[in-house]
Amino acid sequence: MNSHKLKGFSLIEIVIAIGVVAGGVAVILAILPNLIRQNEESIDLQTALRLPDSIESQLYAEMNGAFPGNIPQGQILVAGKEGSNLRPESLLNTPALPAYFYIEVSSFETGELAYQPGRPVLPVKVTVAWPYTAVAAAGGPDNAGNFQTTNFIVTLSP
């Protein structure tokens, strides 16, 4: 008699191992689109939160040195995906500079933050919403739509 035993894996063990690996790969592939979307949303939010300096510079340029200047209620600015090319919405028709961020700037009309002559600062409220196409389709950031928004206050001084 031959007492020689073959050592190795059975077909059932191999099928089970392949099934476990395939299940793990399927789970990773199912999670991947959500992780990519969340990463893009995080990058967009970080870009939106870096916009106040650009907005402040744009508002100073529009004041032409006359503080507090004329900050119109509901002034609309737009910016590119990287937060660059900040400009008034009226200059939107430049195909080489697509808009991604919709920025609404307005001064406070009443209350503690309303401008008072002699006060050294002019606070303005800023709403940043993105993507621009979704905000425009909804008719502005105050309406419901498939877009994200963030709000902050920018203070201007002479």
Side-chain angles (χ1 to χ4, degrees):
M1 280 206 173
N2 191 358
S3 63
H4 185 296
K5 263 189 165 176
L6 295 175
K7 294 184 179 180
F9 295 106
S10 70
L11 182 60
I12 293 177
E13 291 172 328
I14 292 173
V15 168
I16 290 173
I18 290 173
V20 168
V21 170
V25 169
V27 167
I28 290 171
L29 291 176
I31 293 173
L32 193 59
N34 283 336
L35 293 176
I36 291 171
R37 182 183 47 78
Q38 288 176 351
N39 184 45
E40 287 178 5
E41 288 175 1
S42 175
I43 290 170
D44 288 345
L45 179 60
Q46 289 174 1
T47 302
L49 294 175
R50 285 194 312 264
L51 285 173
D53 291 335
S54 299
I55 293 168
E56 183 177 356
S57 298
Q58 178 70 28
L59 294 175
Y60 278 125
E62 290 179 12
M63 280 189 222
N64 291 325
F67 184 81
N70 292 329
I71 305 293
Q73 279 305 95
Q75 178 181 11
I76 307 299
L77 303 171
V78 294
K81 178 128 173 105
E82 292 81 29
S84 58
N85 300 318
L86 183 71
R87 62 203 181 275
E89 188 180 34
S90 60
L91 300 178
L92 182 61
N93 295 332
T94 310
L97 303 172
Y100 187 74
F101 291 99
Y102 176 98
I103 305 159
E104 187 175 270
V105 180
S106 57
S107 58
F108 292 90
E109 294 179 7
T110 60
E112 290 284 323
L113 295 177
Y115 179 73
Q116 300 165 8
R119 180 185 258 180
V121 295
L122 171 65
V124 292
K125 47 188 168 177
V126 177
T127 300
V128 179
W130 65 94
Y132 177 84
T133 52
V135 179
D142 295 333
N143 301 324
N146 190 18
F147 54 85
Q148 296 181 354
T149 63
T150 187
N151 298 299
F152 45 84
I153 297 172
V154 173
T155 54
L156 305 172
S157 58

